[in-house]
Structure formats: C-alpha cells, structure tokens
Amino acid sequence: MNSVAELQALVNDHKRIHVVGRRSKTALHQVDSDVVLADLSGMRGITEYQPQEYTLTVLAGTRVSDIQAALRKEGQYLPFDPLLPNHASIGGTVACNLSGSRRHRYGGIRDFILGAGVVDGLGRAFRVGGVVVKNAAGFDLSKFLVGSLGQYAIMTDLTFKVFPDAPVFHGLRLRYGSLGDALNAVFRCNRSSHELDILDIAPSNQCWYLLTGLAGFQDTLPQRARQFIAMMREETALLDATEVADDGSLRDSLAGLTGDFLVKAVISPRQIPGFDALVRETQRRYSAGGNIAWLATEDIGTLKKILEAEQLPGLVLRGSVDCPLIGKPLENLLAARVKRVLDPHNKLV
C-alpha cells in the first residue's frame, strides 16, 4: 500500500484483511490462506514535524529508527522508548503497545499519542484524536488503538508529542543477593526523589541486578548518581554498583532474550516473586519498575499454562503460535462495542 485510497480499495474488495508493516514480530503474522495482507511498509515518512511545538506526525509504515534519527537532530526523542527500533514500524509499535525501559519515567505510548489517521473495516478514512497537545474533547479513540493489533481500524498515520532529550545518560547496574532484596530496592526507588529513566530487574548467576539509568546534564548528573548510589547503599541490601557505558544495552528491555518464543506479559511488582518461582528456567527481565515481564523460552506450551494459572495476560511476539494472545483472556465490553462500530463484518483480523 502506498496511499490511503489504495488501502480503502483493499478493504472494500476483500472479506478478511491482516495488517503488516515491517514484519518484525513474526508471531503476529500467521494467518489463514484466505486472509489478504495489507502491507503498509510503503506508507512511510514524516508528514509534519514542529520541533517548537513538540509534535510529530508520521506515516504508519515508517521505521522507528528513522523517526529517532529525525528527532535526534533537534535534540528530541519519543519518551515511551519504542522497542526494536531498527526493525519495527511505528504503526506496529503502537498496535502492539511496545514501550521500552525508558518509559519508566514518563509513561507508555498511550501517554504520548495525540491522534491518528485510520481506515476502518467499512473502508471509511477519518482522523481520531488531534494534532496538538491540548485536546480533550470526547472519547480518545487514538489511545484505544494502542495495543489493538490492528483489529479495530488500520492506522495510516500517527501524531505524537515528543520531549527534549537529556544530553547525558548515566547507567548503573546494582547487584542484590536475592529477588526479594531487588524488589525492596525497587519499592525504595519509587518512594525516593530520584527520577530514574530506567528501573528494570534481571537475574544473573545466583544474583539479581537492578538496571537503572539517570539522564540529565553533565554538570549535575555525576552528583545525582553519587547521591542515588549512597541512598541505595544506606537503605537497601546493595552488594555493589557498577557504572554501565551508554552503548544502548542497558536501555534495551529485550537484551539477552534469545529463546525461540518472545512474550510480553503484564504483571505487578508484588506478583513477581510467585511468578518468578514458576519461570526459573526462562530467560526473563522485569521492566518499567516491575510492571512488564519480558520472557524468552523454547517451551511456549508450559509458559502459556503458567500465565493462565497466574491469570496474567501475555502477547507472543516471536515464534510460531496458533494465537499470539495467551494467558488470561482479555474480556472488554467496550472493545466489543468499538469493534461492532468500526468493523461490523469482522474483516480486520
């Protein structure tokens, strides 16, 4: 697809349609032979960017890294920290709700999407939301589309608010002897005045690491880092702290997760101890202060049963599965109503 008109014609001419971008999330694109693919990779590019207003509008097929490069020239960035930047499109990122580790400070995609152009299951093209930061009139359908997997309407372009990026990033790896000690440290961080860009938890060789990062200016950041480490030494069971070079590895929620299947699960920090005891053989990292679990495994069947038993919803991003949604079923009456309005013939799958 290279235009909205082509996409409308495709929707009008076929009974079942599945949206693809750059196909970076293989588990989402296993569809029946009678399903027509709506390939949005040709719809790419920035259509409007106002650095002084901190707003950006971009076509849905645009690669995330291309957006990041354009923002970087103006000293700005997407605070929800999209994942798989070198491979994923921005439309797929929004459809799967894939925010990264730096979302900890400011929030996820829903906090930064302002509006979207869409084509619905009836072939109608229209805009939802707005193109300015201050827009609070009525139900914000653009936020509802986050995590929708393209099943309510096909996003053709997206508008975001962006932030000035801090010039310096200071990464720290804090080592703890147990998961309980690491979680207690997370709770202490959340009660402190230190504003962390990253707060992730990861296991390693009989210990646990708190992966943290602060961002700011060169003249104040080293002092902030020293004060943060001093607090953690005094008030948590910290074993040692190591500075991490800013090579991007600390910021990558998916670093080291190499299993055939990659799963995102929604969790809370207080659920982690019981859950982690069940997935000890699984590669894992708990991101965003322990509110997202990233899991890589060779045994998706066992992980699916664990998520079901723990009543946790999961999304399979990589690997061959019958359905990418696993774990706790998502029952949403509002979603069903929106589906009936936007896609009454259930064309978008």
Side-chain angles (χ1 to χ4, degrees), residues 44-244:
R44 58 185 183 270
I46 294 173
T47 60
E48 186 175 0
Y49 179 27
Q50 299 186 52
Q52 69 280 7
E53 298 294 334
Y54 299 101
T55 59
L56 168 83
T57 301
V58 60
L59 294 176
T62 308
R63 187 168 57 182
V64 169
S65 60
D66 293 338
I67 300 171
Q68 291 175 326
L71 291 172
R72 198 176 299 119
K73 292 179 181 179
E74 300 291 338
Q76 297 178 348
Y77 80 125
L78 292 167
F80 58 85
D81 190 24
L83 291 171
L84 305 171
N86 294 323
H87 306 285
S89 67
I90 191 63
T93 298
V94 172
C96 297
N97 193 14
L98 292 186
S99 299
S101 292
R102 286 190 78 187
R103 66 158 289 180
H104 174 72
R105 183 171 183 180
Y106 294 115
I109 296 175
R110 285 187 179 89
D111 299 294
F112 293 92
I113 188 169
L114 296 175
V118 302
V119 172
D120 68 7
L122 295 173
R124 299 173 297 190
F126 54 94
R127 291 204 63 80
V128 296
V131 293
V132 296
V133 173
K134 293 183 179 180
N135 180 48
F139 176 63
D140 193 345
L141 187 58
S142 59
K143 288 179 171 53
F144 186 84
L145 295 173
V146 177
S148 67
L149 302 181
Q151 294 183 1
Y152 304 111
I154 302 171
M155 292 172 280
T156 57
D157 66 78
L158 299 137
T159 300
F160 301 96
K161 58 182 174 182
V162 299
F163 275 8
D165 197 4
V168 183
F169 180 84
H170 193 107
L172 292 165
R173 184 181 286 114
L174 311 182
R175 187 166 67 93
Y176 290 88
S178 69
L179 173 58
D181 288 341
L183 284 170
N184 287 335
V186 168
F187 300 142
R188 181 64 190 93
C189 288
N190 289 334
R191 296 194 307 269
S192 79
S193 60
H194 295 280
E195 296 182 329
L196 300 175
D197 270 39
I198 293 175
L199 184 57
D200 285 8
I201 315 164
S204 178
N205 298 326
Q206 307 302 314
C207 67
W208 285 82
Y209 283 106
L210 212 60
L211 309 175
T212 67
L214 299 99
F217 296 92
Q218 185 61 56
D219 56 345
T220 60
L221 193 57
Q223 181 181 3
R224 287 175 53 206
R226 288 193 297 269
Q227 291 173 343
F228 172 66
I229 294 175
M231 180 196 75
M232 301 302 279
R233 289 191 189 281
E234 180 179 350
E235 301 184 28
T236 72
L238 177 64
L239 298 177
D240 57 64
T242 307
E243 292 189 10
V244 180

Side-chain angles (χ1 to χ4, degrees), residues 307-330:
L307 290 173
E308 289 172 349
E310 296 298 301
Q311 289 289 286
L312 297 173
L315 175 66
V316 185
L317 300 172
R318 183 174 69 219
S320 179
V321 290
D322 294 331
C323 177
L325 295 173
I326 62 175
K328 179 183 178 181
L330 297 176

